[in-house]
Amino acid sequence: MNCREQLNQQDFTLEPALLNDWHVVAASDEVTEGKLIPSTLFERDLVIWRDSGGQAHVWEDLCIHRGARLSKGFIASDRVVCPYHGWNYDGTAQCRLIPASPGETPMKKAKAISHHVQEAYGFIWTSLGEPEHDIPDFPEWNDDSYKKVVCGPYRFKSGYRAVENFIDPTHFPFVHAGVNGLMDDPDPIGAYDVWEENGALASSEVQVTQPYGDPRNVPVTAFYAYKCLRPLVAYFKKRVLITDPDRAHEGNPNDRFCTYLTAQQVSETESIVRICCAMNFNPMPTDDEVRQRQDLVYAQDSDIVDTQRPERIPTDLRQELHHRTDLLGMKYRSWLQKMGVQYGTV
């Protein structure tokens, strides 16, 4: 059993659905060459860094020698240098130099604890176990007709509550009054369908009225089609039709606004949400315009979502009251339970 496997059994048992999954731990542009970035995932302290070849690394924030935090050290010549005794670890995580005995070849087991890492959609992803799935697909990422903007990070207590809020259009008129809905005239939500598709949950379109429906700051009728891709990754594709006759010429029937949401579960009641937005309409908003709107919306969301009790999401449907308009949220909770997700749930 190697050190990583020992850690996975030693601290607590994280269920396979989360242990062997990919999780975002940073935005790609946060991790620059020569800088050590501390991060936490499921209460495991990690250090993230990028070598001169551009490769990102995610390790336990732990020197195998005396357990000091590597994130307190520094990088020299593509090696992470421990702040305590200066042990040097190269990009393979192998210790190459023990300064107190410079002529000695460090033993093979003098190795930092590394994790699987990939970069996709502007994010750094890691898996603490052995990945059983690919990183969920973001179809618009490789489509040049779409502008992509990474937004966040946004702090929420529960990543699951944040995901459930993301897939719930019935809160728009109240949490986002004047932006994503009309408090004085909330949309009745018609029946919609939810089904499993390639291991994900998918919904048919849900229609809502939005006075400030996208970064163009135009009123629209929006049609949301949602997907829950993994326990802490979700997505929507929004079809938008401009409703102001004087500005209708700015729109196109093919206008879409899509969002890919990830949640990093720091602890059972702390999480970090990062999103990537993709849009194909003209004129394209600036990155600042996109982020300004998302910063507003996610601040409004966290202000209410973080008041929910219990902070850990109930996956037993008997523990909260549900309505037919909560169909996707109900399916999401049952889906988590079916996968055996326990961390951060009740």
Side-chain angles (χ1 to χ4, degrees):
M1 181 181 296
N2 61 36
C3 293
R4 186 157 63 95
E5 290 168 339
Q6 283 182 332
L7 277 172
N8 285 340
Q9 294 187 10
Q10 178 180 310
D11 293 345
F12 55 82
T13 303
L14 191 64
E15 50 273 26
L18 298 176
L19 179 68
N20 299 321
D21 205 354
W22 289 102
H23 303 275
V24 169
V25 288
S28 289
D29 61 7
E30 293 177 67
V31 184
T32 55
E33 183 186 340
K35 191 175 176 184
L36 295 167
I37 305 292
S39 186
T40 304
L41 178 65
F42 302 118
E43 301 174 41
R44 294 274 287 273
D45 291 328
L46 308 173
V47 60
I48 310 170
W49 64 286
R50 189 184 297 282
D51 63 30
S52 58
Q55 175 65 49
H57 304 266
V58 178
W59 296 354
E60 289 290 319
D61 192 5
L62 178 80
C63 178
I64 200 69
H65 175 217
R66 286 291 183 268
R69 287 185 182 277
L70 293 173
S71 62
K72 293 288 189 182
F74 58 92
I75 297 174
S77 301
D78 270 350
R79 292 179 178 179
V80 174
V81 181
C82 175
Y84 197 4
H85 300 96
W87 286 30
N88 279 215
Y89 297 91
D90 70 10
T92 69
Q94 181 66 50
C95 179
R96 297 299 180 189
L97 174 66
I98 298 175
S101 184
E104 175 187 327
T105 300
M107 50 284 209
K108 285 186 179 177
K109 62 183 179 183
K111 194 168 186 178
I113 303 166
S114 61
H115 294 296
H116 298 280
V117 61
Q118 287 195 49
E119 287 195 69
Y121 317 137
F123 303 124
I124 306 282
W125 301 72
T126 196
S127 174
L128 301 180
E130 297 301 324
E132 294 180 344
H133 307 272
D134 293 333
I135 291 171
D137 189 32
F138 183 15
E140 289 75 25
W141 181 259
N142 292 317
D143 185 336
D144 291 339
S145 66
Y146 281 82
K147 177 188 180 74
K148 274 77 72 175
V149 183
V150 172
C151 305
Y154 305 116
R155 292 272 177 179
F156 283 74
K157 289 184 175 175
S158 166
Y160 309 107
R161 292 278 196 187
V163 169
E164 188 179 64
N165 173 73
F166 177 77
I167 59 174
D168 168 22
T170 64
H171 76 276
F172 290 168
F174 305 98
V175 177
H176 309 298
V179 178
N180 277 346
L182 299 167
M183 186 181 290
D184 295 336
D185 188 18
D187 291 297
I189 300 298
Y192 62 95
D193 296 323
V194 177
W195 62 93
E196 286 201 40
E197 178 182 279
N198 299 323
L201 292 178
S203 83
S204 56
E205 287 185 334
V206 179
Q207 178 179 336
V208 295
T209 304
Q210 298 189 323
Y212 174 19
D214 59 47
R216 292 175 295 186
N217 197 7
V218 290
V220 299
T221 298
F223 303 84
Y224 282 78
Y226 293 101
K227 286 189 177 179
C228 298
L229 299 166
R230 295 298 303 153
L232 293 162
V233 182
Y235 161 89
F236 71 66
K237 186 167 206 167
K238 180 167 77 169
R239 181 164 61 93
V240 289
L241 300 176
I242 294 176
T243 53
D244 180 349
D246 294 335
R247 298 188 61 183
H249 62 281
E250 298 177 28
N252 183 297
N254 295 318
D255 287 352
R256 299 288 184 274
F257 186 90
C258 309
T259 298
Y260 186 94
L261 179 144
T262 71
Q264 172 186 352
Q265 202 69 34
V266 174
S267 70
E268 293 204 86
T269 56
E270 301 170 274
S271 69
I272 302 170
V273 167
R274 297 179 180 86
I275 63 172
C276 184
C277 298
M279 62 227 76
N280 67 348
F281 41 73
N282 286 304
M284 288 284 188
T286 66
D287 289 10
D288 284 345
E289 287 170 334
V290 175
R291 291 195 178 105
Q292 185 178 18
R293 186 179 189 283
Q294 300 307 315
D295 291 351
L296 168 67
V297 168
Y298 284 83
Q300 291 173 332
D301 281 327
S302 62
D303 190 46
I304 299 301
V305 171
D306 283 355
T307 69
Q308 290 179 278
R309 298 293 181 275
E311 291 168 352
R312 292 180 294 158
I313 195 170
T315 55
D316 182 342
L317 296 184
R318 295 169 297 184
Q319 294 191 33
E320 287 184 343
L321 189 60
H322 307 278
H323 183 262
R324 65 161 183 82
T325 53
D326 303 316
L327 178 63
L328 184 52
M330 287 190 284
K331 295 284 188 183
Y332 173 63
R333 293 187 186 196
S334 298
W335 190 57
L336 293 177
Q337 189 177 59
K338 190 168 74 173
M339 279 190 273
V341 172
Q342 297 180 39
Y343 186 91
T345 74
V346 290

Coordinates of all heavy atoms in Angstrom, one line a residue, residues 32 40 67 119 121-122 125 154 162 176 194 220 222 229 235 284 300 321 346:
T32 N 0.3 29.8 -11.4 CA 1.3 30.3 -12.3 C 2.7 29.7 -11.9 O 2.9 29.2 -10.8 CB 1.4 31.8 -12.2 OG1 1.6 32.2 -10.8 CG2 0.1 32.4 -12.7
T40 N -7.7 23.0 -0.4 CA -8.3 21.9 0.5 C -9.4 21.3 -0.3 O -10.3 21.9 -0.8 CB -8.7 22.5 1.8 OG1 -7.7 23.2 2.4 CG2 -9.2 21.4 2.7
G67 N 6.5 16.0 7.9 CA 5.1 16.4 7.8 C 4.9 17.9 7.7 O 3.8 18.4 7.9
E119 N -6.1 19.5 -16.7 CA -6.6 20.8 -16.9 C -7.7 20.7 -18.0 O -7.5 20.1 -19.0 CB -5.5 21.8 -17.3 CG -4.6 22.1 -16.2 CD -3.7 23.4 -16.5 OE1 -4.3 24.5 -16.5 OE2 -2.5 23.2 -16.6
Y121 N -11.3 23.2 -19.4 CA -12.3 24.3 -19.3 C -11.9 25.4 -18.4 O -12.7 26.0 -17.7 CB -13.6 23.7 -18.8 CG -14.0 22.4 -19.5 CD1 -14.5 21.3 -18.7 CD2 -13.8 22.2 -20.8 CE1 -14.8 20.1 -19.4 CE2 -14.1 21.0 -21.5 CZ -14.6 20.0 -20.7 OH -14.9 18.8 -21.3
G122 N -10.5 25.7 -18.3 CA -10.0 26.8 -17.5 C -9.9 26.4 -16.0 O -9.7 27.3 -15.2
W125 N -8.1 20.1 -12.3 CA -8.9 19.0 -11.7 C -8.0 18.0 -11.1 O -6.9 17.8 -11.6 CB -9.7 18.3 -12.8 CG -10.7 19.1 -13.6 CD1 -10.4 20.1 -14.5 CD2 -12.1 19.1 -13.5 NE1 -11.5 20.6 -15.0 CE2 -12.6 20.0 -14.4 CE3 -13.0 18.3 -12.8 CZ2 -14.0 20.2 -14.6 CZ3 -14.4 18.5 -13.0 CH2 -14.8 19.5 -13.9
Y154 N -16.7 31.5 -5.8 CA -17.8 32.0 -5.0 C -17.9 31.0 -3.8 O -17.9 29.8 -4.0 CB -19.1 32.0 -5.8 CG -19.0 32.8 -7.0 CD1 -19.2 32.2 -8.3 CD2 -18.8 34.2 -7.0 CE1 -19.1 33.0 -9.4 CE2 -18.7 34.9 -8.1 CZ -18.9 34.3 -9.4 OH -18.8 35.1 -10.5
A162 N -25.5 24.4 -3.4 CA -25.2 25.3 -4.5 C -25.6 24.7 -5.9 O -26.2 25.4 -6.7 CB -23.7 25.7 -4.5
H176 N -33.4 36.7 -7.3 CA -32.8 37.6 -8.4 C -33.9 38.5 -9.0 O -33.9 38.7 -10.2 CB -32.2 36.7 -9.5 CG -31.3 35.6 -9.0 ND1 -30.1 35.9 -8.3 CD2 -31.4 34.3 -9.0 CE1 -29.5 34.8 -7.9 NE2 -30.3 33.8 -8.4
V194 N -37.5 14.9 -16.6 CA -36.1 14.6 -16.1 C -35.8 13.2 -16.4 O -36.6 12.3 -16.2 CB -35.9 14.9 -14.6 CG1 -34.5 14.5 -14.2 CG2 -36.2 16.4 -14.3
V220 N -35.5 39.1 -21.7 CA -35.6 37.9 -22.6 C -36.6 37.0 -22.0 O -36.9 37.0 -20.9 CB -34.2 37.2 -22.7 CG1 -33.2 38.1 -23.4 CG2 -33.8 36.6 -21.4
A222 N -36.4 33.1 -21.5 CA -35.3 32.1 -21.5 C -35.9 30.7 -21.3 O -36.9 30.5 -20.7 CB -34.4 32.5 -20.3
L229 N -24.1 16.6 -14.1 CA -23.2 15.7 -14.7 C -22.4 14.8 -13.8 O -22.1 13.7 -14.1 CB -22.1 16.6 -15.5 CG -22.8 17.5 -16.6 CD1 -21.8 18.6 -17.0 CD2 -23.2 16.6 -17.8
Y235 N -24.6 21.8 -15.3 CA -24.5 22.6 -16.6 C -26.0 23.0 -17.0 O -26.9 22.3 -16.7 CB -23.9 21.7 -17.6 CG -24.1 22.1 -19.1 CD1 -23.2 22.9 -19.7 CD2 -25.2 21.6 -19.8 CE1 -23.4 23.3 -21.0 CE2 -25.3 21.9 -21.1 CZ -24.4 22.7 -21.8 OH -24.6 23.1 -23.1
M284 N -20.6 40.5 -28.6 CA -20.1 39.8 -27.4 C -19.8 40.7 -26.3 O -19.2 41.8 -26.5 CB -18.8 39.1 -27.8 CG -18.9 37.9 -28.8 SD -19.6 36.5 -27.9 CE -19.4 35.2 -29.2
Q300 N -26.1 37.0 -4.6 CA -27.5 36.9 -4.2 C -27.8 35.4 -3.8 O -28.5 35.2 -2.9 CB -28.4 37.3 -5.4 CG -28.3 38.8 -5.7 CD -29.1 39.2 -6.9 OE1 -29.3 38.4 -7.8 NE2 -29.6 40.5 -6.9
L321 N -39.9 19.1 2.4 CA -41.1 19.1 1.6 C -40.8 19.5 0.2 O -40.1 20.4 -0.1 CB -42.1 20.1 2.2 CG -43.5 20.0 1.7 CD1 -44.1 18.6 1.9 CD2 -44.4 21.0 2.3
V346 N -26.9 14.4 4.8 CA -27.5 13.8 6.0 C -28.7 12.9 5.5 O -29.2 13.1 4.4 CB -28.1 14.9 6.9 CG1 -27.0 15.6 7.6 CG2 -29.0 15.9 6.2

